[in-house]
Amino acid sequence: MINDDTGNIADFLINIYEILGKEAMMVDDIIDDREIAVYTKYINYYKKEIQEYESIYNLNNIENNENISVTKLDEDKSLQELLNELNSLIGLDDVKQDVQSLINLIQIRRIREKRNLKQQPMSLHLVFMGNPGTGKTTVARLLSRIYNKIGVLSKGQLVEVDRSGLVGGYVGQTALKVQDIVKSAIGGILFIDEAYSLASNKDGNDYGKEAIDTLLKAMEDHRDNLIVIVAGYTNLMEEFLESNPGLKSRFNKYLCFKDYTPEELYAIFENMCKGYKFNITDETQEYVKEYFEKRYIHRNKNFANGRDVRNFFEKALIRQADRLSNKGNNLTNAELSELTLSDVEEIKLKD
């Protein structure tokens, strides 16, 4: 009797296929290398297909979970268009170069593979290190689509989660949560934000360790069609990787996301204005440039890079709305599309 559970059904089908294959090879009581090679090839193909269906099933089930964010591959951009989108991001020069080097390495490895040239095993799991608001999630979303385009990932979805989405409240629940999320991410990227919190042993329990152990096993089981990216503050991520020998062996590629410079912060603000068709007066431009220069110089643990810019922009829109509210329907399009000095000069962000 099979339980109404996709994971059990998948395991059952794979097991049946393996048994049937072995029985077929034993018909003539002779098993040669060619038969083993063909058998192994089709077993691996069958497992991948089953895992794909499992992934779709679990992806649909977790989409309504408030602790999990899913970005599906729903567009048909070319590889060059995706690379152009990556390179159009403000700043992140080192990250862009690192991503391009990874793509180059993968493409050369594929050529070597087709020519039956020996090559060293390679892990594509990544560590994103840097402060909040430096574009880590944005790059992960692009990377999932790029890897799908070059054939590394079969589906290219990005599943974003943090500790709350992985760790359960009692023994055994954590492993099940991790397994379900991993299954939903097969064919794409599992992005774990603030991953260091898994090793912090919060609330006096060790469920974070259970999540790490389950994750490491899943990474090995699905190494051909799953990439895991762990992200967080640089120092805390270094401590996280030191907390478990298995983590350091599987995550050996690091992308460092530096804080945006004052010029880059202003460029982000300017892009937001252009994106929503807002004009900025000259005095507004000067004020905003000086504001982010001072904020960068005096930045502390609450400095949130691009998030600060977004918050600043949203506050400017609120102040503009307050300024224009008395004019009602007499407003011109030019007035609706202009940010003045009074809209920005009293803005305060959290220090």
Side-chain angles (χ1 to χ4, degrees):
M1 183 68 181
I2 303 173
N3 294 329
D4 187 17
D5 176 88
T6 299
N8 289 340
I9 292 174
D11 292 341
F12 175 81
L13 291 175
I14 290 171
N15 188 45
I16 288 293
Y17 192 81
E18 287 180 337
I19 292 171
L20 289 174
K22 290 175 181 176
E23 290 294 329
M25 285 196 298
M26 286 296 295
V27 169
D28 59 2
D29 294 326
I30 300 173
I31 302 176
D32 58 31
D33 291 342
R34 185 189 64 80
E35 286 179 317
I36 293 173
V38 172
Y39 167 76
T40 302
K41 174 184 176 182
Y42 282 99
I43 281 291
N44 290 336
Y45 172 80
Y46 189 72
K47 284 181 178 178
K48 184 176 179 181
E49 289 298 306
I50 288 291
Q51 289 166 357
E52 288 287 342
Y53 284 112
E54 236 184 334
S55 172
I56 293 170
Y57 175 87
N58 282 278
L59 192 61
N60 292 335
N61 278 349
I62 69 169
E63 281 185 321
N64 295 325
N65 190 320
E66 62 181 11
N67 296 320
I68 302 169
S69 174
V70 178
T71 304
K72 292 184 178 179
L73 184 68
D74 57 357
E75 59 187 43
D76 189 26
K77 291 186 178 180
S78 68
L79 174 60
Q80 191 55 55
E81 286 175 320
L82 292 171
L83 291 174
N84 290 343
E85 191 173 340
L86 173 67
N87 290 324
S88 70
L89 297 176
I90 292 169
L92 304 176
D93 291 342
D94 292 343
V95 171
K96 293 171 186 175
Q97 181 57 55
D98 287 341
V99 170
Q100 185 62 62
S101 294
L102 280 171
I103 294 169
N104 294 342
L105 179 59
I106 291 166
Q107 291 177 326
I108 293 299
R109 283 177 63 87
R110 287 190 169 273
I111 294 173
R112 289 178 58 87
E113 183 180 354
K114 289 178 181 178
R115 298 182 185 181
N116 294 319
L117 296 173
K118 188 175 181 180
Q119 51 195 357
Q120 184 177 346
M122 175 183 175
S123 170
L124 291 176
H125 304 301
L126 297 166
V127 181
F128 283 7
M129 308 173 81
N131 291 327
T134 46
K136 295 187 290 295
T137 304
T138 299
V139 171
R141 287 172 182 160
L142 277 169
L143 199 56
S144 66
R145 290 143 64 191
I146 290 171
Y147 277 0
N148 169 258
K149 191 59 63 175
I150 63 178
V152 174
L153 296 171
S154 61
K155 293 195 298 181
Q157 81 277 23
L158 181 81
V159 178
E160 303 169 52
V161 68
D162 58 15
R163 178 188 168 94
S164 62
L166 293 170
V167 176
Y170 53 83
V171 175
Q173 185 186 30
T174 293
L176 294 174
K177 291 180 73 171
V178 174
Q179 289 166 5
D180 284 344
I181 289 169
V182 165
K183 288 174 182 176
S184 72
I186 290 173
I189 290 178
L190 174 59
F191 182 85
I192 306 176
D193 198 15
E194 299 181 353
Y196 50 81
S197 64
L198 293 174
S200 64
N201 197 22
K202 290 183 178 181
D203 304 322
N205 63 50
D206 202 26
Y207 301 148
K209 181 181 182 300
E210 183 182 357
I212 293 172
D213 292 342
T214 308
L215 179 65
L216 289 174
K217 182 180 184 304
M219 289 166 64
E220 179 62 25
D221 292 343
H222 307 292
R223 61 185 179 277
D224 294 329
N225 200 23
L226 172 70
I227 292 174
V228 177
I229 297 176
V230 290
Y233 292 99
T234 299
N235 293 339
L236 293 175
M237 288 305 296
E238 289 173 349
E239 294 175 9
F240 168 69
L241 295 170
E242 292 289 346
S243 70
N244 186 308
L247 290 170
K248 292 212 74 171
S249 65
R250 286 174 176 81
F251 293 99
N252 55 10
K253 291 182 178 61
Y254 303 79
L255 271 63
C256 296
F257 290 71
K258 298 177 181 177
D259 285 341
Y260 289 113
T261 66
E263 294 77 15
E264 290 167 345
L265 293 170
Y266 176 75
I268 294 171
F269 176 79
E270 192 175 39
N271 275 0
M272 288 181 176
C273 291
K274 289 178 180 177
Y276 292 98
K277 309 297 183 185
F278 280 98
N279 299 313
I280 324 170
T281 63
D282 290 343
E283 58 183 0
T284 304
Q285 291 181 38
E286 291 305 313
Y287 179 88
V288 175
K289 287 178 182 177
E290 290 179 11
Y291 179 91
F292 282 114
E293 185 172 354
K294 292 176 183 177
R295 187 158 184 84
Y296 178 83
I297 292 171
H298 300 291
R299 66 190 186 281
N300 56 27
K301 65 179 182 180
N302 293 319
F303 178 66
N305 287 281
R307 294 179 196 172
D308 274 4
V309 179
R310 184 173 65 247
N311 290 338
F312 186 92
F313 178 71
E314 290 173 353
K315 288 179 181 293
L317 297 188
I318 293 172
R319 292 184 60 80
Q320 186 221 35
D322 289 341
R323 174 172 60 82
L324 298 177
S325 61
N326 293 330
K327 293 192 176 183
N329 292 329
N330 296 322
L331 288 165
T332 66
N333 286 348
E335 288 175 314
L336 288 168
S337 303
E338 183 178 62
L339 291 179
T340 66
L341 180 61
S342 63
D343 297 328
V344 298
E345 61 182 353
E346 298 297 327
I347 291 176
K348 304 292 183 184
L349 296 179
K350 183 179 179 180
D351 291 325

